[in-house]
């Protein structure tokens, strides 16, 4: 199947209320344009420099999602155009995003990355840490960032029960935080291997790469 067929196949199988972020990391602009021509507008990258280069070259109505780990010293390269930063894992990073957003007179939407997987390699904070940040004076002073939800990655395993449990946990963390934060609306969970389970658990934003663009060659 080609990119446009893959895209259609996924869109036909998910509820309209779920946003599909097409993860185009390592893929050439021509692949992104294939998806764009089929109507796709949300794209995800995990390296700020790559995303900036692509944003520069491609149509301006693309919504760029930063889904990777964010280094503070690189926030400035995406502050002007990024649509949503999924992987925010500290107050320090929020402060830097706020500072750079201010320079462009924008408010940048962010998701707090919560660690739900058992693997140590996965980034993210504990639910209690997210709650503390959202209630802190320092956070409430930030006028140019808006935290609109959470993001998480399940353990890479064939054990579907474990994956389901981890996604259920993130959904319940989202629900709890939403009680105190009316701006909460987005729960970003689910990738090529597990997005149907994530949607079952209440995901409304999935990040899918290889099922659309094929395997990545690094
Ligand atoms: C690469 C990546 C994805 C997409 O992975 P696929 O398995 O190719 O769908 C989703 N989320 C994050 C954070 C990623 O780094």
């Amino acid at each position: 199947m080609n990119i446009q067929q893959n895209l259609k196949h996924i869109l036909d199988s998910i509820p309209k209320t779920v946003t599909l972020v097409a993860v185009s990391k390592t893929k050439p602009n021509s692949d992104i344009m294939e998806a764009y021509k089929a109507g796709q507008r949300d794209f995800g990258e995990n390296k700020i420099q790559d995303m900036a280069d692509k944003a520069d070259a491609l149509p301006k109505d693309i919504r760029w999602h930063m889904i990777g780990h964010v280094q503070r010293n690189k926030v400035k390269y995406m502050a002007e155009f990024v649509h949503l930063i999924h992987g925010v894992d500290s107050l320090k990073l929020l402060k830097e995003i706020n500072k750079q957003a201010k320079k462009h007179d924008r408010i940048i939407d962010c998701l707090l990355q919560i660690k739900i997987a058992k693997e140590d390699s996965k980034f993210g904070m504990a639910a209690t840490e997210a709650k503390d940040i959202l209630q802190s004076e320092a956070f409430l002073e930030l006028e140019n960032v808006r935290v609109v939800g959470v993001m998480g990655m399940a353990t890479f395993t064939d054990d579907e029960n474990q994956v389901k449990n981890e996604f259920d946990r993130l959904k319940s963390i989202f629900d709890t935080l939403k009680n105190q934060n009316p701006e909460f609306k987005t729960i970003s969970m689910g990738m090529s291997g597990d997005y149907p389970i994530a949607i079952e658990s209440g995901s409304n934003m999935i990040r899918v790469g290889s099922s659309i663009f094929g395997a990545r060659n690094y």
Side-chain angles (χ1 to χ4, degrees), residues 20-73:
L20 170 62
V21 177
V23 176
S24 48
K25 62 190 186 197
T26 78
K27 296 298 177 181
N29 290 349
S30 54
D31 282 7
I32 296 175
M33 281 311 293
E34 274 296 301
Y36 180 88
K37 283 180 203 149
Q40 181 66 25
R41 290 295 179 272
D42 291 275
F43 291 90
E45 291 282 330
N46 71 338
K47 293 207 170 75
I48 293 173
Q49 193 56 58
D50 289 353
M51 185 172 77
D53 291 345
K54 288 173 175 178
D56 209 30
L58 291 165
K60 301 304 168 225
D61 61 341
I62 288 179
R63 294 182 287 270
W64 291 102
H65 295 246
M66 175 38 59
I67 62 166
H69 185 63
V70 177
Q71 287 171 275
R72 280 202 304 281
N73 61 353

Side-chain angles (χ1 to χ4, degrees), residues 23 25 46 67-68 151 153 190-193 207-211 216 218:
V23 176
K25 62 190 186 197
N46 71 338
I67 62 166
M151 178 269 217
M153 292 167 86
M191 316 183 8
S192 291
R207 310 174 310 269
V208 179
S210 41
S211 290
R216 283 178 290 276
Y218 284 98

Side-chain angles (χ1 to χ4, degrees), residues 1-14 20 195 211:
M1 287 214 288
N2 65 32
I3 290 169
Q4 296 197 350
Q5 286 169 330
N6 292 339
L7 200 56
K8 182 172 182 334
H9 175 77
I10 295 168
L11 286 170
D12 283 347
S13 74
I14 64 174
L20 170 62
Y195 72 84
S211 290

Side-chain angles (χ1 to χ4, degrees), residues 119-135:
E119 295 154 284
D120 285 336
S121 60
K122 301 263 158 87
F123 293 103
M125 59 178 81
T128 50
E129 202 181 329
K131 183 164 171 272
D132 289 347
I133 288 176
L134 292 168
Q135 291 179 343

